[in-house]
Amino acid sequence: MSSQHSQHDDESVVESQSVKQTQPSSQGLDFGREIHENVWGSFYPLVKDMKEVNLFKPKLTYRIGRSLHNDVVFPGYKISNKHAEITWDGRETKDSIIMLKDNSSNGTYVNGQRLGKGVSRILPDGAEVAFGSPGPSSTQPAEDYRFIFRHTASGQQREDGFYGLYDSHDQLGRGTFASVVRCLERKTGILWAAKMFSNLLTGGGSSSLGSRSNEKMVSREIGILQTLSHPNICFLKETFITEERKLILVLELIEGGDLLEYILSSSGVSEEITQHITYQLCLALSYVHSLGITHRDLKPENILLTKSNPPDVKVADFGLAKAIDSQTMLKTMCGTPAYLAPEIVMQTNMQGYDNLVDSWSVGAIVFSMLTNASPFIEDENQPDIRVRISTRTVDWRILREKTSNPMSKS
Ligand code: PIT
């Protein structure tokens, strides 16, 4: 166990005698990486300062609960005396099965789903298990008994590469080319976001996706992303290409959702917070522009927010748009690309626009924050998206109505 997880060992998790006897004496083990051959399963806490729980062979069933009669004791007030039971079928093969049984009043949750009192289910490798409540409580942060379960019964360590180094979890978002999932770095216990591309490197046909040159462009772009270091830009930690030639980016985990959700959830953003967000957005843009990088696809969905109040901005999806030509971009767009500058839509090759397109997007985004609406009046019946974007006009009335600036009122 790593030192950062060792502070509250005795209070938070009391393990049975058998656990203590068989636990390897080297407690400086990498978090979750070195799987001891006597361990058939491990619970890795999602909260810092909580100790991991290892389940040792040959004991097949571990009882979990508040009372000291259990093999694993969680002293939380939402934890039942006899909360749950976990059982390994004793097989040392890859297809061995581990069952989790819920005996509790407040619930045992697997990947957010409550099992129900008396109900057992197979516990897969990498599942998130929560005891007592599905997520952290805002009033009782110490009452967070959420873990990632690793099924290690076969004693096999996973290969290196993304799936060897990380456990992937719940989905954070889904786009046209990729989905983003929360993941746990086994070595450190740090949570990250993994953006998994479906076919960016392997797609084929007439589209520009999937060609070798496209792959090169993506790699070059990733190289740029890795050099970016700014508090308002989502940090790219590392990248992987899987055997199926799928691209995975490991990114800073930002848990406050995106700006689109934020605007919609509060039906628009106050001027004060709009100012706060816009300022940070401009800091990020000024930084990347100074490095000769243009985002080109800025929109509220690509602006991630931290959970703080007011939220801080982390711009995401830098540069990947470059790997996809404008034709493909237009084809894959849903609805109206309100934040896209007309010169991007009108251009026929990849040249001819610059950093100003990001400024255009900032304007449209500010408008959306203040009004909870798109800035443009456009012909919804116009089938050609190029004509539609280049002929639309700005609906200033709605901005005048919503903002408090007396100068803007007519
Ligand atoms: C998160 C949460 C989330 C999405 C992302 C990160 C994505 C970040 C990102 C994606 C990119 C890129 C830079 C950052 O180039 O829902 O923590 O393609």
Side-chain angles (χ1 to χ4, degrees), residues 168-401:
S168 40
H169 297 285
D170 51 313
Q171 197 166 69
L172 294 164
R174 193 170 182 83
T176 318
F177 300 112
S179 63
V180 181
V181 297
R182 201 190 308 265
C183 66
L184 180 83
E185 187 183 9
R186 297 198 178 127
K187 184 179 164 189
T188 58
I190 295 174
L191 286 165
W192 299 90
K195 181 162 185 172
M196 302 176 157
F197 288 83
S198 45
N199 64 352
L200 197 70
L201 302 177
T202 53
S206 57
S207 101
S208 71
L209 291 173
S211 67
R212 272 218 76 80
S213 72
N214 193 58
E215 185 176 327
K216 269 198 195 141
M217 279 170 67
V218 174
S219 319
R220 206 178 323 126
E221 194 63 46
I222 288 167
I224 296 168
L225 285 172
Q226 277 174 328
T227 67
L228 295 180
S229 171
H230 190 275
N232 300 116
I233 294 173
C234 183
F235 170 67
L236 175 65
K237 177 175 183 277
E238 59 181 333
T239 63
F240 293 89
I241 295 177
T242 67
E243 278 174 11
E244 305 87 54
R245 308 202 58 69
K246 286 184 180 169
L247 174 67
I248 300 177
L249 309 186
V250 180
L251 300 148
E252 180 181 358
L253 177 64
I254 320 292
E255 294 185 283
D258 64 43
L259 181 58
L260 180 65
E261 290 160 9
Y262 190 77
I263 296 173
L264 295 176
S265 69
S266 45
S267 305
V269 181
S270 70
E271 285 188 39
E272 201 185 354
I273 294 182
T274 299
Q275 212 170 55
H276 173 84
I277 289 174
T278 309
Y279 185 74
Q280 295 190 9
L281 187 55
C282 290
L283 287 180
L285 290 177
S286 137
Y287 169 75
V288 293
H289 290 173
S290 75
L291 297 174
I293 299 167
T294 310
H295 190 293
R296 300 190 297 182
D297 191 25
L298 263 187
K299 52 189 172 188
E301 296 93 308
N302 287 341
I303 296 165
L304 304 179
L305 300 175
T306 62
K307 277 174 155 176
S308 58
N309 188 16
D312 284 333
V313 164
K314 302 273 180 176
V315 177
D317 271 337
F318 261 97
L320 281 184
K322 207 174 189 176
I324 302 162
D325 66 42
S326 64
Q327 290 275 341
T328 313
M329 293 260 298
L330 289 171
K331 270 191 225 151
T332 53
M333 259 181 258
C334 303
T336 308
Y339 307 92
L340 204 61
E343 55 266 41
I344 289 201
V345 184
M346 298 312 287
Q347 54 130 17
T348 49
N349 58 31
M350 293 304 284
Q351 269 86 53
Y353 57 92
D354 60 12
N355 295 337
L356 285 176
V357 303
D358 288 341
S359 306
W360 171 285
S361 307
V362 172
I365 291 166
V366 170
F367 192 106
S368 301
M369 282 194 278
L370 292 172
T371 62
N372 190 27
S374 159
F376 302 108
I377 303 171
E378 57 190 277
D379 179 2
E380 301 204 341
N381 298 321
Q382 172 55 255
D384 187 334
I385 213 154
R386 289 155 205 273
V387 179
R388 190 159 151 180
I389 292 180
S390 52
T391 57
R392 65 193 177 180
T393 54
V394 176
D395 185 358
W396 293 110
R397 284 168 314 175
I398 183 165
L399 187 65
R400 278 193 219 106
E401 280 160 21

